[in-house]
Amino acid sequence: DQQVKQNSPSLSVQEGRISILNCDYTNSMFDYFLWYKKYPAEGPTFLISISSIKDKNEDGRFTVFLNKSAKHLSLHIVPSQPGDSAVYFCAASEYSGGGADGLTFGKGTHLIIQP
Amino acid sequence: DTGVSQNPRHKITKRGQNVTFRCDPISEHNRLYWYRQTLGQGPEFLTYFQNEAQLEKSRLLSDRFSAERPKGSFSTLEIQRTEQGDSAMYLCASSLSQGVGYGYTFGSGTRLTVV
């Protein structure tokens, strides 16, 4: 049973436009959400996170939105750049304090930025 | 510090053999995690350590798997009597006990192929 779902295996966006990656979750006990970016032959790299007490967190070109009632979060990248082409994983945790325990990851979305 | 280091990068083994992987975390990180990633899936949590204590183990960690972190520094993951289903990328990550929002730092992984 997939508790974190990324329903789009791939997404193609033109350079300079907005990329929107979506993630849905089913476990209402999740209270911390993270996005990771992964290039081929490398481990995932932490991008941005959001606590369940917030509905938005912004870091430069990256913004994560959380809709708790819909159990949905999204990652916005504006403007999209060629170096953003990678696989993006959504992850969730039931613990928001005292350290990072086991994360539950989605299957990932392959973002392709076209020139 | 060059980040989280994993060795070897690749391992090919015959079914039934034992294999051991090593992870060297970022030196000041007290938490260390093992994940497994198979093709088309996101990373799946296996186990984690705080210093030398193994605090949580996933049900994915069968009796054939054992992980150690003897002095709270590097960690090893051993798989005994390997099966073809063990073929995967094994990822190690580390973090400080500052809250899950800081994310983990992942290594580049060890790719295991069981033939």
Side-chain angles (χ1 to χ4, degrees), chain A residues 19-94:
Chain A
S19 295
I20 300 176
L21 295 98
N22 293 305
C23 177
D24 297 291
Y25 62 96
T26 57
N27 186 346
S28 57
M29 298 299 290
F30 287 146
D31 58 7
Y32 225 99
F33 305 90
L34 305 91
W35 285 93
Y36 282 82
K37 174 180 178 180
K38 185 181 184 303
Y39 293 120
E42 294 183 11
T45 303
F46 171 68
L47 202 54
I48 193 169
S49 65
I50 188 166
S51 163
S52 59
I53 62 173
K54 294 185 175 181
D55 54 18
K56 177 182 173 181
N57 189 26
E58 195 170 352
D59 184 2
R61 297 186 298 114
F62 302 92
T63 303
V64 56
F65 295 91
L66 176 62
N67 183 334
K68 278 191 68 177
S69 60
K71 293 191 176 66
H72 177 83
L73 63 155
S74 60
L75 175 68
H76 293 211
I77 306 173
V78 183
S80 300
Q81 298 175 352
D84 296 331
S85 295
V87 177
Y88 289 78
F89 290 101
C90 173
S93 171
E94 293 186 25

Side-chain angles (χ1 to χ4, degrees), chain B residues 19-39:
Chain B
V19 294
T20 300
F21 311 138
R22 177 178 169 126
C23 171
D24 288 90
I26 292 173
S27 55
E28 61 266 28
H29 284 183
N30 57 350
R31 288 198 168 203
L32 185 148
Y33 313 81
W34 285 99
Y35 281 77
R36 180 178 72 183
Q37 185 177 14
T38 53
L39 198 61

Side-chain angles (χ1 to χ4, degrees), chain B residues 31-70:
Chain B
R31 288 198 168 203
L32 185 148
Y33 313 81
W34 285 99
Y35 281 77
R36 180 178 72 183
Q37 185 177 14
T38 53
L39 198 61
Q41 303 293 319
E44 296 173 293
F45 171 73
L46 293 178
T47 188
Y48 91 92
F49 294 82
Q50 176 148 323
N51 300 313
E52 66 274 12
Q54 189 172 16
L55 296 187
E56 188 177 344
K57 292 198 292 187
S58 160
R59 69 185 191 289
L60 294 175
L61 212 66
S62 76
D63 291 343
R64 296 184 297 105
F65 288 69
S66 63
E68 294 183 344
R69 194 182 183 197

Side-chain angles (χ1 to χ4, degrees), chain B residues 78-97:
Chain B
E78 181 184 17
I79 309 174
Q80 295 182 328
R81 305 180 303 281
T82 52
E83 302 172 355
Q84 286 190 323
D86 297 331
S87 295
M89 175 73 81
Y90 289 84
L91 293 162
C92 176
S94 67
S95 75
L96 289 166
S97 299

